[in-house]
Amino acid sequence: MKPVPYPTIQRFPLYLEVIKQLQLAGIKTISATDIAQNLGFTNIQVRKDIGYTGIIGKPKIGYNIKELEKVITSFLGWQNTNDAILVGVGALGSALLGYKGFEDYGLNIISGFDVNKKIVGKKIHGKKILHIDDFESQVKLLKVSIGILTVNQSSAQQITDLMVKAGIKGIWNFSSENLKVPDDIVVQRENLSASLALLSVKLSHKFKTKQ
Amino acid sequence: MKPVPYPTIQRFPLYLEVIKQLQLAGIKTISATDIAQNLGFTNIQVRKDIGYTGIIGKPKIGYNIKELEKVITSFLGWQNTNDAILVGVGALGSALLGYKGFEDYGLNIISGFDVNKKIVGKKIHGKKILHIDDFESQVKLLKVSIGILTVNQSSAQQITDLMVKAGIKGIWNFSSENLKVPDDIVVQRENLSASLALLSVKLSHKFKTKQ
DNA sequence: CTTTAATCGATAAATATATATCGTTATAAA
DNA sequence: TTTATAACGATATATATTTATCGATTAAAG
């Protein structure tokens, strides 16, 4: 089987959103062209992406919208909820604890961990905040495999080592540290600065050329 | 002049971080290999990226670290602070208002806007929260060109239209709405789900193949 | 002073991704 | 029933990006 390109995987959640929106409107079938127009892509690209899921569409009609939602969701592994824990309950960590959108992504943040005595023991957005000393035992107890890292750069590697030791398999890294992990651990870096960089450069380019 | 690839632009902030770290350690010159090892890239890629800035390095030595920081910062347009305003002071919006890291990216969020009477008039993380009714006048008064959109999907397009009307030129879109804007407006979509999708797929792939 | 090795910059090759083309199929209109 | 058209899937082409190669240069070691 040919590997699915990363850009394709990254577009899938966008397709899911369009699908959900149109489903709410009562639509039963959806074509690559429909999705493309909604997102500003080409229909060829959307059709090719969808092709990776193996779903069969009908000419002149498109795809069964329910079935398409199912195959994409399943491809992403979002059909069942995956439990996650979060370490570093600062401004960003708190925000993520309260972010409702993760439900759509099959992600359930069980609890947050920190060392700050002011918040340990309390609840934030309904999620209990525990002390980092209890991290390893909790992760092992609950068999959590995804860790969300929202600590500052200076403690990022240390917490990462702890996550690995506790059995975490995938780390969503919101810090700017380049984490060192064993081969069998997946790290996904969330890079706000990268997207701000693109915005900045596109903006300055527009100003240079247009004015 | 050949256009700089988007992936290159997105890597520049990472290079800046390594540069700043090594500068703190008193390092005066830095090679593409140094940066590459620090980030897990190939030195060839780093060297090529750096080449786009026009800086000249010395064989066996590398680049003057101060000069390299300067050219990358300047390329990104981060040498001067750019003012921004934020609309939608919910969980995520509050977090961004309090995020210190933006200073490094030349971004200064002046204030937040919302309709929630509980927070309008108050300060969050030291930033004043104003009512959306005052948005247009404030933006015009302060000549802000960057807007950060952290409202929910249902009001995203409406707020976008308001931003455009007020003179905002670049929109950093944290909502999941596909925004419609005039040609001369730049929209950068921040897509948390895209990166979570990658993490999910990489994880499930590891589990499939390794176990 | 000569040799060695690290690194640069430029060019070339390889890979990955996006776009285009084309024959086929299914619906709806004529 | 026939014709026109939207959209599919497969294949081919084009573009973008990454990786490799190579000669030149510079500092440091011998």
Side-chain angles (χ1 to χ4, degrees), chain A residues 38 78 178 190 195 198 200, chain B residues 10 38 78 178 190 195 200:
Chain A
N38 217 297
W78 290 358
N178 177 49
E190 185 64 50
S195 113
L198 264 186
S200 306
Chain B
Q10 299 203 328
N38 216 297
W78 290 358
N178 178 48
E190 186 64 50
S195 119
S200 306

Side-chain angles (χ1 to χ4, degrees), chain B residues 93-112:
Chain B
S94 301
L96 295 183
L97 282 178
Y99 186 52
K100 303 288 180 194
F102 288 147
E103 293 166 12
D104 294 333
Y105 312 155
L107 191 76
N108 174 43
I109 307 180
I110 297 180
S111 54

Side-chain angles (χ1 to χ4, degrees), chain B residues 124-189:
Chain B
I124 290 183
H125 298 302
K127 316 272 181 171
K128 197 151 196 179
I129 311 303
L130 306 172
H131 194 276
I132 192 71
D133 287 346
D134 299 325
F135 181 82
E136 193 172 345
S137 59
Q138 283 292 309
V139 167
K140 283 180 173 165
L141 182 68
L142 300 167
K143 296 190 182 9
V144 182
S145 62
I146 297 178
I148 302 173
L149 188 70
T150 47
V151 301
N152 58 24
Q153 189 175 14
S154 55
S155 40
Q157 184 61 56
Q158 184 191 346
I159 298 295
T160 297
D161 295 343
L162 179 62
M163 283 186 173
V164 172
K165 186 155 169 275
I168 292 287
K169 293 301 176 193
I171 298 175
W172 198 1
N173 176 23
F174 283 79
S175 86
S176 50
E177 181 74 5
N178 178 48
L179 304 176
K180 272 82 181 173
V181 295
D183 276 352
D184 61 326
I185 307 295
V186 177
V187 174
Q188 182 63 40
R189 171 176 237 158

Side-chain angles (χ1 to χ4, degrees), chain A residues 16-73:
Chain A
L16 273 184
E17 268 164 29
V18 174
I19 287 170
K20 280 173 188 161
Q21 247 179 322
L22 294 187
Q23 260 182 329
L24 284 180
I27 309 284
K28 299 295 180 195
T29 61
I30 188 173
S31 72
T33 307
D34 294 334
I35 296 177
Q37 281 179 342
N38 217 297
L39 293 169
F41 300 153
T42 71
N43 61 359
I44 303 165
Q45 182 174 60
V46 174
R47 193 173 304 118
K48 191 159 196 185
D49 285 345
I50 291 176
Y52 287 109
T53 67
I55 191 178
I56 302 293
K58 281 187 189 171
K60 188 81 184 250
I61 295 293
Y63 308 91
N64 178 293
I65 197 167
K66 209 170 172 182
E67 191 188 353
L68 184 57
E69 184 190 16
K70 197 174 168 190
V71 293
I72 294 180
T73 303

Side-chain angles (χ1 to χ4, degrees), chain B residues 83-98:
Chain B
D83 286 339
I85 47 78
L86 180 147
V87 180
V89 190
L92 181 61
S94 301
L96 295 183
L97 282 178

